[in-house]
């Protein structure tokens, strides 16, 4: 039977639906209207952002919340430029975001066209894993399947595909049926042998330390606890090793684990602890500046690195043993060679507890008054709540002191560090977790980068508590200026009445005057 012919834009929508896409975030324009032809027929929900930056962050939040790729639609030129900041954030934090855009049919001989750029594809390539142009239907289908395959089998990174306006409107046959690609093992040949060797070193080390990163986090869209925590907590129990978690790995260890140093890896004293260790095993972490807040890890003994990205394995930290492998698979391989009984702790548990208390006090001294608010909120926060935070002092403190019941439920724009992330990302997360609690935490300045997305949240009827930390200024920057002996300048801006602003969008808004009122409002 002859395949039904449709304009390519419509065929792409049906292809995306067949690949599991049920939500697209974006903004239609004159150049990409063909991308919207038959979107209802394809069975896809479109979420109308108020700005392409919001659409990108929504796709990011959706991907983090569900473990499935987030998809965004934008127009030629300024639409793509506006989404490049979210794409940079997704690249930095290893998030699966696919952006599809229109592009001009010809740019060399015809200047002065609407939305024209010198090289749109190359611009997106600066913040994406790759950026390619499809000048026919089969190339478009191939690139989409390539993106989805790589999302499944490689380190997550954003991708960009652009299709000329004329090609989008041209008639095309349907995309080929999906061919299932088995999720590959990232391990190199001999990885199991190396796992046995590392397990042996663990057994014979005096003071081993694990560093668990976001590469060990698996998201579940049904709200169930991922199994990764079980294995991570088990290997600590069975080896007697101490452990740190990166911010992205928060929740992999239980808050009351006596051998956990928590997420205090960025504390200067953590270097002293790692110098005492004769074996450090870092799994699924870049050990980046935003993990350590110093130039070097500071380990005194051997360093083992396990990561799916070979680039990480040859960075400045220079591991003694570097293994390209999926972190969880490698951890499971080690567990096979480790006795299944609780080991004698190789670190003083009382000393670990005292050290964490000292770290907590340092955090409170640096940014006074925030810990008490964190504690009050954490006390009544639903255990299944997923939290999206912005670049704000409140989140910087919470990243260290707020203990999560499991991993993958607090998302922060690390690395690229973009303001305005939390609100649209929480919208994307809420779209992917309908019926489950989703929370946004933002500062007064960053909130205003994407405040217009309140309209999207109300339009989609999303019950998102937005916790706004309003200190009436860019307090972190002011503190930095003072520390650098620079007279504070350009750190105070006129704020609106945020409650009235929220109400104008149709939101409920309250300004609690006590911890109990704050807890009641959140509940």
């Amino acid at each position: 039977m002859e395949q039904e012919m449709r304009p390519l834009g419509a065929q792409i929508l049906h292809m995306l639906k067949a690949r599991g896409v049920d939500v697209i975030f974006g903004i239609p324009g004159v150049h990409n209207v063909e991308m919207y032809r038959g979107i209802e027929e394809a069975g896809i929900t479109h979420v109308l952002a108020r700005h392409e930056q919001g659409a990108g962050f929504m796709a990011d939040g959706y991907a983090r919340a569900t473990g499935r790729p987030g998809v965004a639609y934008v127009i030629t030129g300024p639409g793509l430029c506006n989404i490049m900041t979210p794409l940079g954030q997704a690249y930095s934090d290893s998030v699966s975001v696919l952006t599809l855009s229109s592009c001009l049919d010809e740019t060399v001989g015809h200047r002065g066209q609407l939305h024209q750029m010198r090289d749109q594809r190359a611009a997106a390539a600066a913040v994406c894993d790759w950026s390619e142009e499809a000048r026919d239907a089969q190339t478009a289908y191939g690139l989409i399947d390539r993106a989805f395959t790589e999302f499944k089998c490689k380190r997550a990174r954003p991708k960009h595909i652009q299709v000329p306006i004329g090609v989008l409107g041209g008639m095309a046959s349907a995309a080929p049926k999906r061919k299932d690609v088995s999720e590959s093992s990232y391990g190199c040949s001999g990885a199991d042998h190396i796992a046995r060797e590392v397990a042996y070193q663990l057994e014979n080390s005096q003071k081993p330390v694990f560093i668990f990163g976001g590469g060990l986090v698996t998201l579940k869209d049904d709200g169930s606890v991922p199994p990764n925590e079980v294995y991570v907590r088990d290997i600590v129990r069975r080896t007697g090793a101490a452990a740190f978690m990166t911010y992205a790995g928060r929740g992999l260890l239980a808050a009351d684990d006596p051998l956990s140093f928590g997420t205090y890896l960025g504390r200067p004293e953590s270097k002293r602890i790692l110098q005492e260790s004769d074996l450090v095993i870092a799994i699924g972490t870049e050990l980046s500046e935003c993990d350590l807040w110093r130039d070097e890890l500071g380990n005194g003994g051997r360093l083992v690195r396990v990561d799916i990205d070979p680039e990480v394995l040859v960075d400045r930290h220079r591991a003694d043993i570097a293994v390209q492998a999926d972190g969880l698979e490698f951890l499971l391989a080690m567990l096979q060679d480790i006795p299944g009984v609780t080991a004698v702790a190789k670190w003083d548990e009382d000393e670990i507890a005292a050290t964490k208390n000292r770290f907590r006090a340092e955090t409170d001294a640096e940014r006074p008054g925030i810990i008490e608010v964190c504690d009050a909120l954490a006390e009544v926060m639903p255990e299944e709540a997923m939290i999206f935070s912005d670049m704000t002092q409140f989140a910087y403190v919470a990243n260290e002191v707020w203990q999560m019941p499991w991993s993958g439920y607090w998302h922060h724009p690390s690395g690229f560090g973009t303001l305005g992330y939390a609100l649209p990302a929480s919208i994307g997360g809420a779209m992917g977790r309908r019926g489950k609690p989703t929370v946004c935490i933002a500062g007064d300045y960053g909130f205003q980068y994407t405040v217009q997305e309140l309209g999207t949240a109300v339009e989609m009827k999303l019950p998102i508590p937005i916790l706004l930390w309003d200190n009436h200024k860019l307090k972190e920057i002011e503190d930095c200026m003072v520390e650098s002996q620079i007279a504070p300048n350009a750190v105070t801006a006129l704020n609106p009445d945020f409650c009235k602003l929220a109400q104008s969008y149709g939101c409920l808004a309250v300004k609690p005057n006590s911890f109990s009122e704050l807890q009641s409002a959140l509940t």
Side-chain angles (χ1 to χ4, degrees):
M1 182 177 177
E2 188 176 343
Q3 287 186 322
E4 181 181 357
M5 299 292 287
R6 293 188 180 97
L8 177 58
Q11 297 286 29
I12 287 174
L13 283 166
H14 284 271
M15 179 185 187
L16 291 173
K17 180 65 176 181
R19 269 56 171 176
V21 176
D22 54 7
V23 180
I24 290 175
F25 306 91
I27 302 176
V30 294
H31 279 182
N32 70 349
V33 290
E34 287 293 342
M35 293 165 62
Y36 287 81
R37 186 185 294 276
I39 190 168
E40 296 89 355
E41 178 191 344
I44 293 177
T45 298
H46 182 268
V47 178
L48 176 63
R50 271 44 178 180
H51 188 281
E52 287 89 357
Q53 185 178 47
F57 286 142
M58 290 175 197
D60 175 296
Y62 178 92
R64 298 194 200 211
T66 65
R68 304 192 298 271
V71 179
Y73 269 16
V74 297
I75 62 164
T76 318
L80 182 66
C81 287
N82 287 340
I83 205 173
M84 283 174 63
T85 295
L87 293 177
Q89 187 63 63
Y91 187 93
S92 178
D93 285 356
S94 301
V95 183
S96 299
V97 173
L98 174 62
T99 295
L100 290 105
S101 77
S102 54
C103 66
L104 295 173
D105 296 315
E106 195 280 326
T107 59
V108 176
H110 185 185
R111 297 296 184 183
Q113 300 178 72
L114 178 66
H115 301 331
Q116 187 165 13
M117 292 177 63
R118 292 183 62 191
D119 195 335
Q120 176 177 295
R121 185 207 59 78
V127 289
C128 289
D129 185 25
W130 48 259
S131 172
E132 300 291 355
E133 181 173 335
R135 302 196 66 83
D136 58 64
Q138 295 309 311
T139 302
Y141 300 152
L143 287 172
I144 291 170
D145 272 341
R146 174 187 168 189
F148 279 93
T149 300
E150 291 182 6
F151 287 147
K152 186 176 183 181
C153 299
K154 291 178 60 177
R155 180 176 182 173
R157 299 286 204 192
K159 330 282 186 184
H160 167 245
I161 301 171
Q162 64 182 33
V163 185
I165 299 167
V167 176
L168 282 169
M171 300 302 289
S173 58
K177 290 185 177 180
R178 180 176 186 172
K179 293 182 179 179
D180 288 330
V181 178
S182 298
E183 199 164 344
S184 67
S185 169
Y186 301 106
C188 300
S189 175
D192 287 346
H193 170 73
I194 299 174
R196 286 192 294 272
E197 169 62 22
V198 174
Y200 174 80
Q201 292 190 25
L202 259 173
E203 185 178 357
N204 290 279
S205 62
Q206 300 301 309
K207 300 187 79 173
V209 173
F210 282 103
I211 300 176
F212 298 121
L216 282 168
V217 175
T218 300
L219 301 177
K220 295 287 186 179
D221 61 355
D222 60 359
S224 62
V225 181
N228 304 35
E229 286 89 339
V230 175
Y231 305 126
V232 170
R233 297 173 189 186
D234 196 31
I235 200 167
V236 169
R237 177 184 63 84
R238 288 163 58 177
T239 61
F244 284 93
M245 297 168 287
T246 66
Y247 301 143
R250 180 164 35 156
L252 286 168
L253 291 172
D256 59 354
D257 193 310
L259 289 171
S260 171
F261 281 103
T263 52
Y264 291 110
L265 187 62
R267 290 280 123 196
E269 191 185 345
S270 70
K271 182 177 179 180
R272 187 266 303 167
I273 295 167
L274 295 173
Q275 285 174 336
E276 291 181 13
S277 172
D278 56 342
L279 177 65
V280 175
I281 304 174
I283 305 179
T285 171
E286 292 179 290
L287 297 178
S288 69
E289 178 187 17
C290 299
D291 293 317
L292 304 175
W293 299 115
R294 57 181 180 270
D295 291 332
E296 59 182 3
L297 181 61
N299 55 298
R302 293 172 65 79
L303 174 63
V304 177
R305 299 287 299 277
V306 182
D307 205 279
I308 64 173
D309 188 346
E311 182 180 350
V312 169
L313 302 176
V314 293
D315 63 12
R316 67 189 187 283
H317 298 300
R318 294 298 175 185
D320 297 286
I321 299 177
V323 189
Q324 185 192 6
D326 174 77
L328 182 60
E329 290 178 10
F330 191 84
L331 190 149
L332 290 172
M334 281 196 295
L335 281 171
Q336 293 178 7
D337 293 289
I338 295 172
V341 297
T342 300
V344 176
K346 296 185 176 183
W347 290 77
D348 187 311
E349 295 178 2
D350 292 336
E351 184 178 334
I352 290 176
T355 301
K356 285 196 289 187
N357 287 335
R358 190 162 60 249
F359 288 157
R360 179 181 167 95
E362 289 175 4
T363 303
D364 189 38
E366 290 171 358
R367 301 179 178 97
I370 297 177
I371 283 182
E372 292 86 351
V373 184
C374 288
D375 290 345
L377 289 168
E379 186 178 330
V380 296
M381 186 69 69
E383 192 175 72
E384 70 274 22
M386 184 169 285
I387 301 171
F388 293 84
S389 60
D390 217 302
M391 298 295 287
T392 174
Q393 285 192 324
F394 185 92
Y396 306 154
V397 172
N399 277 334
E400 294 190 291
V401 306
W402 192 318
Q403 302 297 321
M404 297 297 290
W406 53 69
S407 63
Y409 274 67
W410 189 303
H411 304 288
H412 184 74
S414 301
F416 215 48
T418 55
L419 286 163
Y421 169 82
L423 176 57
S426 67
I427 292 171
M431 287 297 301
R433 303 175 75 244
R434 289 282 195 167
K436 298 183 175 66
T438 303
V439 180
C440 166
I441 298 177
D444 58 302
Y445 197 82
F447 181 66
Q448 295 180 76
Y449 274 48
T450 50
V451 64
Q452 66 274 11
E453 303 304 345
L454 282 174
T456 302
V458 174
E459 192 169 79
M460 302 307 297
K461 298 179 172 59
L462 300 175
I464 303 172
I466 300 166
L467 301 169
L468 187 63
W469 181 253
D470 184 6
N471 54 19
H472 308 291
K473 61 177 65 177
L474 286 161
K475 187 65 169 64
E476 187 74 4
I477 310 307
E478 181 184 65
D479 292 348
C480 181
M481 286 180 169
V482 171
E483 184 179 345
S484 303
Q485 297 185 330
I486 298 171
N489 187 277
V491 293
T492 304
L494 175 65
N495 278 346
D497 183 322
F498 286 111
C499 286
K500 290 181 179 178
L501 178 63
Q503 289 165 355
S504 73
Y505 276 100
C507 302
L508 300 175
V510 295
K511 186 177 181 180
N513 293 307
S514 66
F515 287 153
S516 61
E517 289 184 13
L518 174 62
Q519 290 175 322
S520 296
L522 177 63
T523 301

